[in-house]
Amino acid sequence: MAILTIEDKTYICQADETVLDALLRENVNIPYACKKGTCHSCIVQSPSTLPPEAAQAGLKNTQKKQRYFLACQCHPEQDMAIKLPDQSEFYTDGTVVANKMLNRNTLLLIIAFKDAFEFNAGQFVNLQRPDGLTRSYSIANTPQESNTLEFHIRRLPGGKFSEWLHDELKVGDIISVSEARGHCFYLPERSGQGLLLIGTGTGLAPLAGILTDALAQGHSGPIYLFHGSREVEDLYRIDEMRQLTQQHQNFHYIPCISGKHVPEGFNRGRVNDVALALLTDLKGWRVFLCGHPDMVNQMKIQTFLKGAASTDIYADAFLATPV
Amino acid sequence: MTDNNITEEATMSTSLYERIGGEAAVNAAVELFYRKVLNDYRINRFFGKSDMDKQIAKQKAFFTMAFGGPNNYTGQDMRNAHEHLVKMGLDDSHFDAVMEHLGATLVELNVPADLIAEAAAIAESTRKDVLGK
């Protein structure tokens, strides 16, 4: 028998029951379908206790690390505090310590916190304006760098939130930030594996975090970063990336321009086409995709068809910032 | 262990789903099967290209069912889920193509022929509902 806690309520899980059985018996509203660990409908999180191994079978490794588990496969080994997927988020106030332009339309925003902010490079948070308007943005730095979060914010014409960040938010202002979420991040395992990072526009943000993290953790396999946009003026961090290729032999940076004018040193074409032409066999590779939803959806399939296992293809559920 | 327990375990281990290898077998089969389907010009338009993760979840449910594993599908569910595809022209030839890939996938995974036949029979039993006949 174990005690299950959800927010401020407790439930008893009897010896022969799974967590799902117990919650359904108690009329807790939890999604489920197959009850056999296949459909993943009943995925929940246990932030403070390690779930039983059997309850994490079949999940992505990044989900396992965040202690997600399948309620239908979980016979608790101890009392558990459980977070349901739709449970309300916890926000922390941060202070803007830097805002400057990375290129003609992309803002670098750095927010500092009093205490360490828990996240994995590549995850995203929700930023909230005082009036409650909320948008998701990917984190561009790694947790090793002091108590700050870095964001790359593209100005969207008519985008209420991005215009506010660009035009009104000043150094010293306070902004609310949610807990970090998402499964698109690097785990230091299979360090000889090839890593393929493909991003368009500010899709570079999470990829830059993942790249820094992988290099810092001594990833030894080849790492390819393809960053694309229509015009060269919309790329950024070009010199930094080129410098990194000097420092790390296994890192390859391929900036791509899909528009007409392609300066020397840049590849002509869309990132997806350039990447697939260069890397023809992705069997055993780990893939990270961020940016334009069409590119991401198409590349999930293309990299899968080129041999990457579906569990090795990471892209965040949120893809574009809504206006 | 009592006799009762032995009988119970014996019964459980005879389910096709368990004999084929359970969830691990489903995962391996889906990787192979979905690649085959996406590469097949005859049918790939019926396997929506918008959200691969959702498609893979659907394929997992399909294989779990074909292996006689736990599923909550009724004939009516099958009809409802495929109704829009029937409107797009889904017919017996497409169903046959899927059956072909199902068989080839299981052969590739070295599943014994008698188990493949069992799985194929279960999948075949959904034909009328899937095609809305």
Side-chain angles (χ1 to χ4, degrees):
Chain A
M1 194 190 91
I3 296 169
L4 308 176
T5 309
I6 299 177
E7 289 183 316
D8 54 354
K9 295 205 177 82
T10 58
Y11 308 94
I12 303 291
C13 186
Q14 289 164 8
D16 57 342
E17 281 184 320
T18 65
V19 168
L20 180 64
D21 291 334
L23 297 182
L24 291 176
R25 177 174 49 70
E26 297 276 8
N27 291 320
V28 175
N29 187 12
I30 171 171
Y32 71 100
C34 79
K35 287 195 172 178
K36 193 69 185 183
T38 305
C39 74
H40 296 187
S41 299
C42 65
I43 192 166
V44 293
Q45 197 183 13
S46 155
S48 50
T49 42
L50 199 63
E53 205 183 320
Q56 294 190 305
L59 297 185
K60 278 192 198 277
N61 289 342
T62 53
Q63 291 174 314
K64 288 182 190 170
K65 194 193 167 203
Q66 295 177 87
R67 297 180 174 172
Y68 280 95
F69 68 98
L70 302 174
C72 73
Q73 296 301 296
C74 184
H75 289 279
E77 289 159 353
Q78 55 192 314
D79 295 348
M80 298 177 95
I82 295 171
K83 226 174 132 181
L84 300 181
D86 59 348
Q87 232 166 296
S88 59
E89 282 190 293
F90 183 75
Y91 277 81
T92 315
D93 280 346
T95 309
V96 177
V97 292
N99 65 342
K100 58 180 181 196
M101 297 305 282
L102 288 163
N103 63 23
R104 61 183 177 186
N105 58 24
T106 306
L107 173 76
L108 169 70
L109 179 69
I110 300 177
I111 300 175
F113 299 85
K114 272 203 203 99
D115 304 308
F117 195 99
E118 238 178 85
F119 71 99
N120 291 290
Q123 286 192 296
F124 65 92
V125 295
N126 288 330
L127 301 182
Q128 196 170 64
R129 209 163 70 170
D131 67 356
L133 190 68
T134 304
R135 290 288 184 268
S136 301
Y137 287 99
S138 292
I139 303 168
N141 60 332
T142 62
Q144 289 81 19
E145 305 160 33
S146 64
N147 299 338
T148 59
L149 293 183
E150 178 187 321
F151 303 94
H152 304 163
I153 318 275
R154 188 183 164 90
R155 179 195 286 273
L156 293 174
K160 278 184 270 181
F161 205 88
S162 68
E163 288 188 342
W164 173 68
L165 291 174
H166 272 255
D167 301 336
E168 292 177 49
L169 197 67
K170 297 182 301 290
V171 168
D173 284 354
I174 304 291
I175 184 167
S176 287
V177 183
S178 77
E179 294 161 75
R181 297 167 61 173
H183 314 307
C184 185
F185 58 84
Y186 177 80
L187 279 181
E189 46 172 34
R190 295 176 290 167
S191 72
Q193 193 179 22
L195 297 187
L196 171 58
L197 317 177
I198 304 180
T200 53
T202 49
L204 180 66
L207 298 181
I210 289 166
L211 171 68
T212 312
D213 203 20
L215 291 174
Q217 307 224 37
H219 192 89
S220 58
I223 307 175
Y224 281 84
L225 168 64
F226 295 84
H227 186 208
S229 70
R230 185 182 293 272
E231 292 169 356
V232 72
E233 289 82 3
D234 294 320
L235 291 180
Y236 57 93
R237 297 248 153 120
I238 300 165
D239 293 338
E240 279 129 298
M241 291 301 162
R242 283 183 173 151
Q243 215 169 351
L244 273 180
T245 63
Q246 302 295 317
Q247 292 159 7
H248 301 270
Q249 274 201 330
N250 59 330
F251 174 54
H252 309 270
Y253 169 62
I254 300 102
C256 305
I257 308 292
S258 63
K260 271 188 188 149
H261 180 62
V262 183
E264 202 178 326
F266 294 84
N267 283 65
R268 182 184 296 277
R270 293 177 185 275
V271 264
N272 37 338
D273 298 330
V274 176
L276 291 174
L278 195 66
L279 302 170
T280 50
D281 183 3
L282 295 175
K283 195 165 190 217
W285 283 62
R286 215 184 310 178
V287 179
F288 296 90
L289 306 167
C290 300
H292 196 284
D294 292 342
M295 184 282 286
V296 169
N297 284 328
Q298 201 193 341
M299 284 308 280
K300 272 190 191 174
I301 289 177
Q302 293 304 324
T303 54
F304 173 73
L305 288 176
K306 293 250 179 186
S310 62
T311 48
D312 271 336
I313 301 172
Y314 293 94
D316 258 321
F318 98 96
L319 299 167
T321 313
V323 172
Chain B
M1 190 181 271
T2 64
D3 283 348
N4 193 23
N5 274 343
I6 292 169
T7 322
E8 218 172 81
E9 273 194 10
T11 317
M12 277 175 66
S13 69
T14 55
S15 97
L16 176 63
Y17 183 77
E18 301 299 333
R19 276 178 292 153
I20 274 183
E23 199 220 332
V26 168
N27 289 339
V30 166
E31 291 277 315
L32 292 174
F33 174 79
Y34 192 45
R35 277 199 191 94
K36 291 181 195 299
V37 166
L38 287 175
N39 275 320
D40 185 339
Y41 69 93
R42 295 173 296 173
I43 51 174
N44 56 14
R45 66 193 171 101
F46 296 114
F47 290 79
K49 291 188 168 181
S50 56
D51 189 332
M52 190 170 98
D53 294 324
K54 273 191 192 154
Q55 275 297 326
I56 283 185
K58 281 185 201 167
Q59 306 316 322
K60 282 187 181 175
F62 169 64
F63 271 87
T64 303
M65 183 212 65
F67 293 172
N71 68 82
N72 298 319
Y73 292 114
T74 63
Q76 195 56 46
D77 289 338
M78 282 287 169
R79 282 175 186 272
N80 295 344
H82 295 91
E83 204 181 348
H84 67 291
L85 301 179
V86 173
K87 280 187 191 141
M88 281 167 64
L90 188 78
D91 64 22
D92 280 301
S93 72
H94 306 118
F95 195 94
D96 293 342
V98 168
M99 292 297 293
E100 194 183 295
H101 293 309
L102 171 69
T105 299
L106 299 181
V107 168
E108 217 171 311
L109 290 172
N110 295 318
V111 175
D114 54 330
L115 300 192
I116 297 181
E118 267 187 70
I122 295 174
E124 183 60 51
S125 72
T126 66
R127 183 186 288 262
K128 279 196 169 155
D129 288 323
V130 167
L131 297 178
K133 288 188 175 173

